[in-house]
Amino acid sequence: MIEFTTAREGQRIFKWSGRLLCSSIAPQKEAKKWLENHKARIQKYQNVVIMGLGNGFHVLETIQALRNRKLHVINFCPEILVPALSTIGNREGQIIIISASNIEELKRTEKFRAILQNPFSVVDFPPAMGFDINLYAKAKELLLGRTSESLSFYAEARAQFGSSFALNEIKETRGQSGVQLVDLKQMRQNTRWDQVSEIDSCVIHALGELTK
Amino acid sequence: MRVMAVCLLRIGDILMCAPALRALKSKQKNVELHVLVNSEFSFCRNLFPYVDKFHYFPRKDLQENLGDPSEPILNGFDVLKELLHELNQIGFDELYNFTHNRLSGYLCGAIEANDKHGMHGSNPENLLIDGAWFRFLNRPADQVNLHFSEIFLRSVGADGIEKIAVRENPDSISWALQTLRSFSNGERLIGIQCFSNEEKKQLPFDYWTHLCSHLSSVPTTVLVIAAPWEAVQAQLIVESLQAKQVRTQLVVCTFDQALSLLKRLDCLLTIDTSIKHLASTSDLTIFEFATGGSRPHQTGVFGDQNVIFDIQEWEKFASASAVESVAKGIEMFLQNQELLFLRNIQGAIVYRTRVINQTTWFLEQVNGSRMSQVGIQLLSHVKQIGEIASLDAESEAFLPSSLAFSIANEFQNCLEGFFKLDQLKELQNESHATLSSIKRAHDNLVRLFTGRIHSLDWIEESQKNTHFDLSSIEREILTHFSSKSDVVGITELRKIQEKLNRSYRFESWNLKFIRTLKNHITEKI
């Protein structure tokens, strides 16, 4: 349930199920400070994934400061989409909001799978994640591909778009117990080299040299 | 024609590639030269006017990404693949890999080009090294007695040596002039560069204080040169020098600015860093203090009339009396290239860098008892020469002049003989070189030296500076004259005759030789 109120500095904000999703005092200042803290990571790549939509002030701040970036915003609370968009405005092509109610739905979302085709950075906006932090953590795990399970998803999603280093090139890693962090070394061990193109083989081996 | 050169080591290594890059650019008309360097050295785009386009390899970002579990696992893969895709859109005709490590080998495996030179491949099983001179780099470091600049230059098919050449930035020139004007009144300017990324290459800072406090034969200002991140430590050195009444100035500068500053100094005292290569593009005299795994024969100052202290025993080298000798040696060398004090220095092998006729760079050892060291070096040279001769046969490259000179030099000093095949045969028994390759090497040496008959300057110069026993070289010249003089023009012979007439002033010339040669020439004329 959405409930509108006014921040101490005058901005119109909303709560969801009684919870604040941004600062009730100075949401714009909060957004500026957040961006300042994460700017280095956000600037690294063309595509940026923001975990949490909230009231949208941080999304607006980011796109205004870094106009040539493409933002993908993950939101597990579809009800807030409309009021948040009234803050952000219409920025089709620059901002893609990916809403889902749970992880399985998110995994099926084409927009979510499309993120994995290019380099991107992931940043959290904790005020907007508070009401179900585990869901966001799980979504982030999928995006990072650093566990056996998420790497399988990662590879499967890349295969769908015809990107290199996709599922058929990585051996089955599921079934291993617990959450296991995957690094490049393990990934190389699990690669089906006969399926990998020559250029991809060069790239993977070059990266392997960088980890020595 | 589009050519890509891959230089993925540090800035000093990129500078050592400079002669080869320039040779690549001028190899043919319309060469479009592209160079791939680590992105942290993007500033070098201002230094090399003969490079058409620099591309940047984001090494640090990739390493950070790979080690950071909060980064998507395939980001590095995608970033690198995108870079390679962009490079492959250009369409290269030739690719040269000057880096010689596996990382660059795999990258060169992915960059498309009609002709590839150096290491390239897509996996550990098919990593190849194309080109005899690039394969030469594959041998253990102590068996590569050639400067990397020379090896790189030869690897692109050029002969002889070329100075490292870079371009000054106009803003940096203004900065340097203004900086020097602010404290200099025409006194001698000595720069010191005492910082390295590799701590083992640094000398204890108080060494610089002791050394510089003895450099006072003429009014001097010592400039402590530092990058911005070295400024705090540099200031401490400045203060300790000032406490010893040495006129000292701290100069914090960028790499571009360092170039313009160095071009306006009289002398640089430096450890083994990129700054020494930058300084070698100028005419100032460089004194390099090599320690901590530095390899002067491969990476020493690539220029003429500089001095390298290859420190072997620090305690001896840093003793109070030795510091005084080093300082006197520097003073005397700066005044008239006098080697007297440098000859007596202990704890280090002291080399003078030499460039002869733009075809030869070598290190001439000026101190210590040479006999034992020379004997050891000789054996390794002979092994090397055999192998190189085999490489030459394959690559059709000529025997490297600096190596040939170095061998000849050692023979002169040690065996008092010259190119005697019998001796080579004996040594061959102890080496792995085949007799035929040694014979080829021997022939190459003779060709090299007799090929210099037109330039008696070289003989004079060598004899004057290295106290050669000329008897054997004289024999070679005579042999050459008796067999080849028909092809030497009258004008050349007259020039030589004139020079010989003047050469009596060099006492150690063998008068009998000169007489014989003169008679020979007169007869021919």
Side-chain angles (χ1 to χ4, degrees):
Chain A
M1 177 175 165
I2 306 283
E3 183 188 338
F4 288 94
T5 179
T6 303
R8 195 185 292 172
E9 291 201 347
Q11 294 85 0
R12 186 175 145 85
I13 60 170
F14 59 84
K15 292 178 183 174
W16 184 79
S17 293
R19 291 190 68 149
L20 281 162
L21 304 176
C22 66
S23 166
S24 62
I25 298 164
Q28 279 172 342
K29 278 185 190 160
E30 177 190 52
K32 271 192 202 316
K33 197 170 175 194
W34 172 84
L35 179 62
E36 208 50 53
N37 289 340
H38 294 86
K39 207 166 186 176
R41 185 175 281 271
I42 290 173
Q43 278 178 327
K44 264 173 112 172
Y45 305 108
Q46 200 61 32
N47 289 281
V48 183
V49 180
I50 298 175
M51 306 303 287
L53 174 62
N55 277 233
F57 288 102
H58 61 296
V59 179
L60 183 64
E61 188 65 33
T62 307
I63 206 67
Q64 281 175 344
L66 305 162
R67 289 180 189 278
N68 58 352
R69 296 294 187 280
K70 192 169 183 177
L71 307 185
H72 308 258
V73 186
I74 308 293
N75 171 38
F76 280 111
C77 187
E79 295 89 331
I80 66 170
L81 190 58
V82 175
L85 278 175
S86 70
T87 307
I88 298 166
N90 181 20
R91 291 176 188 272
E92 208 173 319
Q94 277 186 295
I95 299 173
I96 298 166
I97 297 172
I98 304 166
S99 283
S101 305
N102 55 54
I103 284 294
E104 287 312 311
E105 190 186 336
L106 184 72
K107 281 167 82 173
R108 287 194 300 273
T109 310
E110 196 147 313
K111 284 179 188 170
F112 183 69
R113 298 164 82 93
I115 296 172
L116 304 174
Q117 315 309 315
N118 296 298
F120 59 93
S121 48
V122 188
V123 283
D124 295 337
F125 184 68
M129 293 161 57
F131 60 90
D132 204 342
I133 204 152
N134 290 337
L135 274 180
Y136 285 102
K138 188 70 189 165
K140 191 170 176 179
E141 187 188 311
L142 288 174
L143 287 169
L144 298 182
R146 296 269 179 179
T147 61
S148 305
E149 187 193 345
S150 63
L151 184 60
S152 296
F153 168 74
Y154 209 104
E156 189 192 315
R158 284 170 76 93
Q160 184 188 342
F161 288 84
S163 304
S164 3
F165 224 80
L167 187 61
N168 59 338
E169 294 156 14
I170 301 177
K171 288 178 198 163
E172 183 63 68
T173 52
R174 279 179 216 177
Q176 294 175 19
S177 59
V179 177
Q180 189 189 343
L181 271 182
V182 175
D183 60 15
L184 187 82
K185 195 176 164 191
Q186 288 160 294
M187 207 176 91
R188 285 168 72 191
Q189 284 165 357
N190 287 327
T191 297
R192 291 194 181 100
W193 291 107
D194 56 328
Q195 304 283 320
V196 173
S197 70
E198 194 167 308
I199 191 165
D200 287 357
S201 170
C202 292
V203 174
I204 288 291
H205 281 106
L207 293 174
E209 291 299 313
L210 286 174
T211 60
K212 281 182 181 170
Chain B
M1 181 162 108
R2 293 195 178 99
V3 179
M4 163 59 91
V6 175
C7 309
L8 290 179
L9 292 173
R10 302 193 62 76
I11 184 67
D13 302 288
I14 301 173
L15 286 169
M16 284 193 284
C17 285
L21 295 177
R22 201 159 65 158
L24 278 177
K25 178 69 181 175
S26 53
K27 203 173 172 184
Q28 284 184 35
K29 276 186 180 173
N30 303 324
V31 168
E32 188 180 302
L33 181 59
H34 295 245
V35 178
L36 179 67
V37 297
N38 288 323
S39 48
E40 61 193 292
F41 304 123
S42 58
F43 58 82
C44 68
R45 67 181 173 273
N46 300 324
L47 296 172
F48 300 93
Y50 35 89
V51 174
D52 295 291
K53 186 162 173 53
F54 275 96
H55 303 270
Y56 304 111
F57 177 67
R59 186 191 187 104
K60 273 192 171 172
D61 285 349
L62 288 171
Q63 274 175 322
E64 273 171 27
N65 164 271
L66 292 165
D68 180 358
S70 66
E71 280 271 341
I73 193 162
L74 286 182
N75 265 6
F77 177 87
D78 288 335
V79 166
L80 188 48
K81 202 164 169 196
E82 179 58 30
L83 171 69
L84 292 166
H85 177 72
E86 280 169 22
L87 293 177
N88 284 334
Q89 295 297 304
I90 296 167
F92 296 110
D93 299 290
E94 284 193 34
L95 170 87
Y96 287 85
N97 181 2
F98 293 113
T99 317
H100 205 71
N101 61 20
R102 284 171 178 266
L103 167 65
S104 65
Y106 295 129
L107 293 178
C108 290
I111 300 171
E112 291 159 12
N114 298 336
D115 256 331
K116 294 191 183 183
H117 307 266
M119 193 185 288
H120 63 95
S122 62
N123 64 58
E125 281 75 45
N126 70 7
L127 213 47
L128 305 168
I129 306 171
D130 266 327
W133 283 106
F134 284 112
R135 279 195 292 279
F136 182 72
L137 291 168
N138 222 23
R139 65 186 55 202
D142 60 354
Q143 290 178 25
V144 182
N145 269 345
L146 283 177
H147 201 282
F148 284 142
S149 281
E150 186 170 348
I151 296 174
F152 293 146
L153 193 58
R154 287 175 186 282
S155 69
V156 304
D159 198 3
I161 61 163
E162 261 195 68
K163 200 172 177 176
I164 295 171
V166 289
R167 176 176 56 192
E168 270 191 280
N169 170 349
D171 290 344
S172 299
I173 297 173
S174 312
W175 171 87
L177 291 172
Q178 200 178 337
T179 303
L180 292 173
R181 226 176 287 141
S182 69
F183 58 79
S184 159
N185 281 317
E187 70 279 24
R188 180 173 67 176
L189 297 173
I190 295 183
I192 63 171
Q193 206 306 108
C194 36
F195 304 102
S196 167
N197 290 335
E198 294 177 71
E199 210 172 309
K200 64 180 182 179
K201 288 187 175 177
Q202 290 188 169
L203 307 184
F205 294 148
D206 60 355
Y207 180 80
W208 298 105
T209 315
H210 293 313
L211 180 62
C212 293
S213 63
H214 286 100
L215 296 173
S216 53
S217 67
V218 294
T220 299
T221 295
V222 172
L223 282 72
V224 180
I225 303 168
W229 57 89
E230 297 159 346
V232 175
Q233 278 188 309
Q235 180 60 36
L236 296 175
I237 297 174
V238 170
E239 283 164 17
S240 66
L241 274 165
Q242 285 169 341
K244 290 207 166 206
Q245 311 302 317
V246 179
R247 196 176 143 86
T248 314
Q249 185 71 34
L250 171 65
V251 185
V252 178
C253 55
T254 64
F255 204 70
D256 273 10
Q257 291 170 336
L259 171 65
S260 295
L261 182 75
L262 291 165
K263 280 193 182 290
R264 287 154 185 87
L265 301 186
D266 297 295
C267 156
L268 174 73
L269 312 181
T270 178
I271 52 173
D272 176 23
T273 68
S274 56
I275 291 293
K276 76 176 183 200
H277 294 302
L278 202 61
S280 73
T281 65
S282 310
D283 294 327
L284 80 169
T285 307
I286 304 161
F287 295 87
E288 176 186 347
F289 294 77
T291 186
S294 299
R295 291 177 282 166
H297 285 280
Q298 294 140 41
T299 63
V301 180
F302 198 58
D304 194 24
Q305 299 294 356
N306 302 292
V307 173
I308 300 177
F309 301 98
D310 188 4
I311 301 167
Q312 308 286 312
E313 293 173 77
W314 174 250
E315 299 302 322
K316 265 191 193 173
F317 185 72
S319 69
S321 60
V323 173
E324 221 168 300
S325 295
V326 170
K328 276 183 187 157
I330 290 172
E331 292 281 17
M332 297 295 279
F333 193 78
L334 281 175
Q335 280 168 29
N336 53 7
Q337 295 177 350
E338 171 57 56
L339 297 169
L340 187 64
F341 282 95
L342 296 175
R343 288 194 194 285
N344 298 324
I345 284 167
Q346 297 200 335
I349 303 172
V350 183
Y351 296 110
R352 170 164 57 163
T353 67
R354 303 302 317 278
V355 173
I356 307 279
N357 287 350
Q358 293 308 307
T359 53
T360 304
W361 177 92
F362 67 99
L363 293 181
E364 174 202 344
Q365 187 180 337
V366 299
N367 71 329
S369 157
R370 297 189 208 177
M371 293 300 280
S372 58
Q373 288 169 12
V374 162
I376 296 164
Q377 278 178 21
L378 184 60
L379 187 60
S380 95
H381 281 332
V382 171
K383 282 181 187 174
Q384 198 172 330
I385 202 171
E387 290 170 50
I388 291 177
S390 310
L391 293 182
D392 284 341
E394 198 182 320
S395 68
E396 295 178 2
F398 190 58
L399 182 74
S401 50
S402 64
L403 175 68
F405 198 93
S406 158
I407 293 167
N409 204 355
E410 304 301 5
F411 264 90
Q412 286 294 330
N413 288 307
C414 178
L415 301 177
E416 293 184 354
F418 195 56
F419 311 142
K420 288 184 180 161
L421 196 58
D422 292 349
Q423 286 165 334
L424 285 171
K425 275 181 188 169
E426 270 173 43
L427 286 160
Q428 184 262 336
N429 292 333
E430 294 178 55
S431 78
H432 302 300
T434 62
L435 191 60
S436 62
S437 65
I438 287 183
K439 176 69 173 70
R440 269 205 307 277
H442 167 264
D443 292 345
N444 276 342
L445 280 171
V446 172
R447 205 162 65 229
L448 178 78
F449 278 85
T450 53
R452 292 177 190 279
I453 189 67
H454 295 291
S455 174
L456 276 188
D457 281 345
W458 170 77
I459 299 172
E460 284 181 11
E461 176 84 355
S462 314
Q463 188 268 331
K464 192 169 61 178
N465 293 315
T466 56
H467 308 288
F468 272 8
D469 164 18
L470 281 170
S471 59
S472 50
I473 204 164
E474 289 159 4
R475 279 199 300 279
E476 290 293 339
I477 292 169
L478 282 178
T479 312
H480 175 74
F481 256 74
S482 8
S483 60
K484 301 273 177 62
S485 57
D486 295 349
V487 295
V488 178
I490 291 273
T491 322
E492 277 304 325
L493 287 171
R494 286 221 160 96
K495 268 192 218 162
I496 295 170
Q497 190 180 34
E498 205 176 295
K499 287 202 171 182
L500 285 170
N501 286 335
R502 283 191 280 117
S503 64
Y504 280 108
R505 68 177 184 273
F506 298 114
E507 288 170 10
S508 52
W509 274 85
N510 179 333
L511 294 181
K512 191 179 162 202
F513 160 71
I514 292 175
R515 252 196 317 272
T516 318
L517 190 56
K518 276 181 73 181
N519 291 340
H520 197 85
I521 292 173
T522 312
E523 197 181 302
K524 290 281 169 194
I525 290 175

